[in-house]
Amino acid sequence: MTNLKIPTRPILRGLQALCRLKYFKSVTLGIGLASLGAIAQAPLDVRVALIIGNAAYINVPALANPTNDAKAMANIMRKLGFKVFDVINGDKASMERAIEQMKDHLKGQQAVAMLYYAGHGLQLEWHNYMVPIDVKLKAATDVPKQTIDVEYVITAFKNANTRMNIIILDACRDNPFSNQASGKGLAQLDAPPGTLISFSTSPGNVAEDGNSESGNGLFTQYLIKELQKPASIENVFKRVRLQVRQKSQGRQIPWESTSLEEDFAFNDGAKYTFNPEELIREAKEVKAKQERLEAEAKAAKQRELEIASQRELARARLAEEQKQRELEVEARHKREIEIAKQQELERQKLSEAQKIKEQLARQRAEAESKERERLLALAADEQRKLALEAEKDRVKAEAEAKERERQLALAAEAEKTRVQALDRARLAQTQRLIEIEQAKAQAEWEARLQKESTDRQFEIQKADWDKIRDSKNIDEFYVFLNKYPSGYITEQALFVVEQLSNLKVLPQSAITGEKIVENKIRYRAGDTQVTKVTDLYSGALIRQNSRIVERIVMNQVFVNIGKDSDVEIFALDGGLIKHRNTQATVSFDPPRVDVPGDELRVGKKWTSRTIEFNESWSKKAVREDHVEIVAYEEITVPAGTFKAYKLVMKSKISNGNYALNTYWVEPGWGFKIKSIRQVQRPRGNNSYEVHEMVSRSKGAS
């Protein structure tokens, strides 16, 4: 191919021009740090945000946290230079009025416009709707009349000639509108030019509303935290996504669609930021509050002990009073018996007196006996009265004792609850102190890292990667990804998270037919593909070969080409570990990534680096790849027509080679359906090839 004369070719010229750009010389810092100080903020100084939080629904179940979420977001946006229009618990009229006011304010300013919405949301016929608090839906036809279409806001922004639009939807909480909606959660929405759309959970899924203790929904809880750190908008949402996924154990995974054409940072660490004085002051306030809470908690625990001691004394006193009452009852009973005995004796005497013959003596004896009987009856009646009074006193005393016990029990429970609340508040303040220190440390670390060369940045990331690459502890990979959300080895780490986690989200198709899918299983032993290779320009057949997955061992895929065994070795995620040809055997550390580590979706971009080691010549080179998924479309090859993702990879290797590779992949299939490979080498021998699938057969799962 070195003698092939090629006329002016737009593709080749574009490739050569691309290779000379600074794009390949100092691109992406790995963690998206590409100098936050260098993010062009000047044209993006006009910042306007519409913040809506709906929780107090009238006709459907209320929500716990959207109003807290909206108030917190409004406060942070104001600190980050945004003019804020906020609506708390808005009906349809107030929401529409706020949208119009914002649109009027945006006109002619080339502003950054943002919509943040927290509350109930639903989808209907590929449209997403924000739900006002006064909604009363009886049928699907009521939805467009009583709710606010998100497209209405996006159109309002566009008509105001905004420069950049950011749409954040923390909706899709437990949905009471299943009979009126087209499906669960919100529908996948492609971002128009200059727009980023962030969903709190994947399309077609439900987000968690958080709890009263957290004070915020799960998504917004982490978004608020990340907005306080200097970072690019891309890294803010990547970190939020990781943390929500980790916290929810895969039940909720935020999702973004972006077509932003300019760099942007909510918090640029310079003009728009939480300055160190504020953080120091907040840290002091938090520490003072923490100390006060600790003192209150200590006092509350002491009070709890005192109440417990009082309850114990009250129980002992009650027991003593009960014993005394029992003795009194016993004494009264004995006295009643004695009186009854005396009465019986007097009756006997009276009976004897009646027998006395002498009338006078008998009468006198009867009178005396009757008088004694009368006096004894009076004594018995008095004794009964005393017994009744004693019983009343006993009942009253027992009731009072029980009431004292109840009041003490309530006081003890209230004090216990207070102690627990103080402990939670103290822990929250401790966590806030930790987060402040982490934010400061992260900002300092990133500032130091951005001063390093891209080669050195890669070395640092790879050193961290090598420490965990064989780990089975998913938390170690979350730590790595939070440190390098847009790093050179991010896709490899994402794939490990995919492999080690148990996703609980249910992907939903888009209106285009695209479906966000898990991309876990890409190879099976026995997978076979026949591929033909032709010249890009002449169409002449160069070769045809057969690839077969001969075996999968220890997460490595061994591929035979024709009669040659183990010509290619892949990781399960499709990363290329090693390949050999007639000229050399080349290994890649970490594996070269041609497909993303998590899901396939249009708009996804990443930058990766790997060390290419030519084992035959004992030479090392650093390869840098910039990849974007640009479309989901039908592709026709000799094997048939397939719906596939189209990816574009632009590569530079430190040995002087440049490459442009356009290829199509199908979820669940490890080999490429088609690829157009263009390679430019410093010493010639350039290659321009088209690889197309002729046939395939899948091995056993």
Side-chain angles (χ1 to χ4, degrees):
M1 297 297 293
T2 54
N3 297 323
L4 180 63
K5 294 183 179 179
I6 304 171
T8 303
R9 296 170 177 162
I11 295 177
L12 178 55
R13 289 204 312 273
L15 175 60
Q16 293 169 332
L18 179 66
C19 296
R20 298 189 190 100
L21 288 177
K22 185 174 76 173
Y23 179 76
F24 274 123
K25 296 178 182 176
S26 59
V27 207
T28 324
L29 165 47
I31 56 171
L33 291 175
S35 179
L36 279 172
I39 292 179
Q41 289 296 312
L44 302 172
D45 278 351
V46 180
R47 300 169 165 213
V48 187
L50 172 59
I51 311 288
I52 302 174
N54 287 345
Y57 287 89
I58 299 169
N59 302 308
V60 295
L63 294 170
N65 291 314
T67 53
N68 296 336
D69 295 340
K71 290 174 182 176
M73 283 295 294
N75 181 48
I76 285 180
M77 288 300 107
R78 288 188 178 100
K79 288 185 177 181
L80 294 176
F82 281 78
K83 162 71 176 175
V84 174
F85 295 84
D86 53 348
V87 178
I88 303 298
N89 288 323
D91 55 19
K92 187 170 187 283
S94 62
M95 289 170 68
E96 287 178 333
R97 187 162 55 250
I99 294 168
E100 291 302 312
Q101 288 173 347
M102 184 175 178
K103 184 173 71 172
D104 291 341
H105 184 80
L106 287 169
K107 283 181 181 177
Q109 297 203 66
Q110 291 283 295
V112 175
M114 187 181 95
L115 165 68
Y116 170 87
Y117 172 74
H120 279 309
L122 59 86
Q123 62 164 297
L124 181 66
E125 296 178 353
W126 301 108
H127 284 258
N128 293 318
Y129 295 90
M130 299 180 290
V131 181
I133 63 167
D134 59 344
V135 74
K136 193 171 185 178
L137 303 177
K138 295 181 179 179
T141 52
D142 294 330
V143 173
K145 302 173 186 175
Q146 297 187 30
T147 63
I148 305 289
D149 192 338
V150 174
E151 287 283 358
Y152 172 64
V153 181
I154 295 174
T155 300
F157 287 175
K158 186 164 61 173
N159 290 343
N161 294 317
T162 53
R163 183 165 188 150
M164 179 182 294
N165 301 319
I166 302 166
I167 311 295
I168 304 173
L169 302 174
D170 188 2
C172 321
R173 305 172 191 215
D174 291 337
N175 188 358
F177 308 106
S178 56
N179 294 332
Q180 294 82 33
S182 301
K184 195 176 182 181
L186 295 183
Q188 183 176 331
L189 186 63
D190 290 331
T195 301
L196 178 141
I197 301 175
S198 172
F199 294 87
S200 60
T201 189
S202 299
N205 288 268
V206 175
E208 296 185 14
D209 191 29
N211 52 51
S212 56
E213 292 181 9
S214 70
N216 295 110
L218 186 61
F219 171 79
T220 298
Q221 175 184 341
Y222 287 104
L223 178 58
I224 289 168
K225 183 174 122 180
E226 289 305 316
L227 286 171
Q228 296 179 67
K229 304 174 185 176
S232 67
I233 188 171
E234 176 187 12
N235 283 349
V236 165
F237 286 105
K238 281 186 176 181
R239 286 189 173 113
V240 170
R241 187 178 201 220
L242 285 166
Q243 292 167 21
V244 171
R245 174 177 181 159
Q246 184 178 19
K247 181 69 174 179
S248 69
Q249 298 182 327
R251 294 187 303 274
Q252 180 176 340
I253 303 180
W255 182 87
E256 300 88 44
S257 174
T258 179
S259 62
L260 295 183
E261 297 166 355
E262 296 181 77
D263 291 328
F264 179 74
F266 291 100
N267 185 336
D268 65 356
K271 181 175 181 180
Y272 301 108
T273 190
F274 293 79
N275 62 58
E277 289 76 15
E278 285 183 351
L279 289 175
I280 291 169
R281 184 174 62 253
E282 183 181 357
K284 287 180 179 178
E285 290 173 355
V286 167
K287 193 168 183 179
K289 186 174 181 180
Q290 183 185 29
E291 291 172 351
R292 185 172 67 254
L293 287 169
E294 286 176 350
E296 290 178 5
K298 186 177 180 180
K301 286 178 181 177
Q302 182 62 35
R303 175 65 180 155
E304 188 179 11
L305 291 173
E306 291 173 1
I307 290 173
S309 177
Q310 290 175 14
R311 289 181 69 187
E312 195 59 38
L313 289 172
R315 289 193 190 97
R317 186 168 62 251
L318 178 61
E320 183 63 31
E321 290 173 355
Q322 181 67 22
K323 184 177 179 180
Q324 187 64 35
R325 284 193 293 271
E326 289 173 356
L327 290 173
E328 291 174 358
V329 169
E330 185 179 356
R332 284 196 300 273
H333 184 60
K334 288 180 180 179
R335 178 65 180 152
E336 287 171 356
I337 291 173
E338 290 175 1
I339 291 172
K341 286 180 179 179
Q342 291 178 15
Q343 285 179 320
E344 183 60 29
L345 287 172
E346 291 304 323
R347 289 191 192 97
Q348 291 175 3
K349 289 179 181 180
L350 179 61
S351 177
E352 291 174 0
Q354 289 174 346
K355 295 177 182 179
I356 298 173
K357 295 179 180 180
E358 291 81 12
Q359 184 67 29
L360 184 60
R362 188 169 59 250
Q363 288 177 351
R364 187 169 57 251
E366 285 178 355
E368 291 174 353
S369 183
K370 285 180 179 178
E371 179 61 20
R372 286 193 295 272
E373 175 69 20
R374 185 183 71 78
L375 292 173
L376 286 168
L378 288 172
D381 186 57
E382 182 65 23
Q383 194 66 24
R384 282 194 295 273
K385 288 180 179 179
L386 289 172
L388 286 173
E389 289 297 325
E391 181 63 18
K392 287 180 181 178
D393 290 343
R394 183 186 68 79
V395 171
K396 182 179 179 182
E398 286 183 354
E400 289 174 349
K402 287 180 180 179
E403 178 60 19
R404 286 197 304 272
E405 170 66 15
R406 189 182 73 83
Q407 292 293 340
L408 284 168
L410 289 174
E413 186 61 31
E415 205 62 27
K416 183 179 179 180
T417 301
R418 174 175 163 74
V419 168
Q420 291 172 344
L422 287 167
D423 282 340
R424 285 196 301 271
R426 184 165 49 84
L427 289 172
Q429 295 306 311
T430 300
Q431 181 60 35
R432 179 62 188 137
L433 270 175
I434 292 171
E435 289 175 359
I436 289 172
E437 291 304 316
Q438 287 176 341
K440 288 164 59 180
Q442 178 180 312
E444 291 169 0
W445 178 80
E446 291 182 352
R448 290 195 306 271
L449 190 59
Q450 76 178 34
K451 295 176 182 177
E452 302 284 355
S453 67
T454 54
D455 289 340
R456 177 59 183 150
Q457 291 162 16
F458 174 56
E459 288 175 11
I460 293 169
Q461 293 176 41
K462 189 174 184 304
D464 284 347
W465 169 254
D466 288 340
K467 294 174 186 175
I468 66 168
R469 59 189 301 171
D470 298 320
S471 173
K472 299 300 179 185
N473 182 355
I474 192 172
D475 290 336
E476 291 185 335
F477 293 95
Y478 275 120
V479 170
F480 181 87
L481 287 166
N482 273 293
K483 192 173 183 181
Y484 306 111
S486 300
Y488 291 123
I489 312 176
T490 294
E491 295 305 316
Q492 290 92 330
L494 280 171
F495 181 75
V496 176
V497 169
E498 293 287 322
Q499 293 297 104
L500 295 178
S501 64
N502 181 20
L503 289 183
K504 299 177 178 64
V505 298
L506 302 174
Q508 180 192 61
S509 296
I511 192 170
T512 59
E514 177 190 359
K515 186 174 183 180
I516 302 173
V517 296
E518 297 178 49
N519 202 17
K520 285 186 177 180
I521 300 175
R522 304 179 185 180
Y523 297 97
R524 294 150 293 271
D527 281 357
T528 304
Q529 176 169 308
V530 176
T531 303
K532 75 170 183 176
V533 182
T534 58
D535 180 83
L536 174 60
Y537 297 104
S538 69
L541 180 66
I542 299 173
R543 63 184 177 276
Q544 182 164 305
N545 53 40
S546 175
R547 277 180 167 79
I548 181 169
V549 176
E550 192 274 330
R551 68 190 186 282
I552 300 175
V553 181
M554 298 293 290
N555 294 327
Q556 291 190 352
V557 181
F558 294 84
V559 177
N560 298 348
I561 298 182
K563 296 180 180 180
D564 297 327
S565 60
D566 299 347
V567 175
E568 294 175 331
I569 303 175
F570 293 93
L572 278 176
D573 63 348
L576 181 60
I577 298 172
K578 182 182 290 190
H579 77 83
R580 62 184 171 84
N581 53 36
T582 56
Q583 297 176 336
T585 297
V586 180
S587 61
F588 300 87
D589 180 23
R592 192 188 83 199
V593 177
D594 292 356
V595 287
D598 49 4
E599 82 276 356
L600 289 160
R601 58 182 172 85
V602 175
K604 182 176 175 66
K605 303 176 184 178
W606 70 92
T607 297
S608 63
R609 274 194 172 201
T610 183
I611 296 174
E612 277 193 15
F613 178 55
N614 188 319
E615 298 179 3
S616 304
W617 298 92
S618 295
K619 290 185 177 180
K620 289 185 178 181
V622 176
R623 175 188 178 112
E624 183 168 303
D625 298 308
H626 301 266
V627 191
E628 181 178 3
I629 303 177
V630 297
Y632 180 70
E633 61 189 16
E634 284 191 348
I635 178 73
T636 300
V637 294
T641 300
F642 302 87
K643 289 285 284 186
Y645 287 88
K646 178 182 179 181
L647 294 86
V648 175
M649 173 187 283
K650 301 164 186 175
S651 308
K652 175 192 174 183
I653 307 173
S654 59
N655 61 14
N657 290 356
Y658 299 104
L660 177 62
N661 190 2
T662 303
Y663 51 98
W664 290 258
V665 297
E666 185 183 49
W669 185 248
F671 301 123
K672 297 176 177 66
I673 303 294
K674 179 179 179 178
S675 63
I676 301 172
R677 304 179 185 177
Q678 303 170 72
V679 181
Q680 181 187 18
R681 300 180 177 91
R683 296 184 180 179
N685 193 28
N686 301 331
S687 62
Y688 309 96
E689 298 177 345
V690 179
H691 296 238
E692 296 179 286
M693 183 171 70
V694 175
S695 64
R696 75 174 178 187
S697 62
K698 292 185 178 181
S701 299

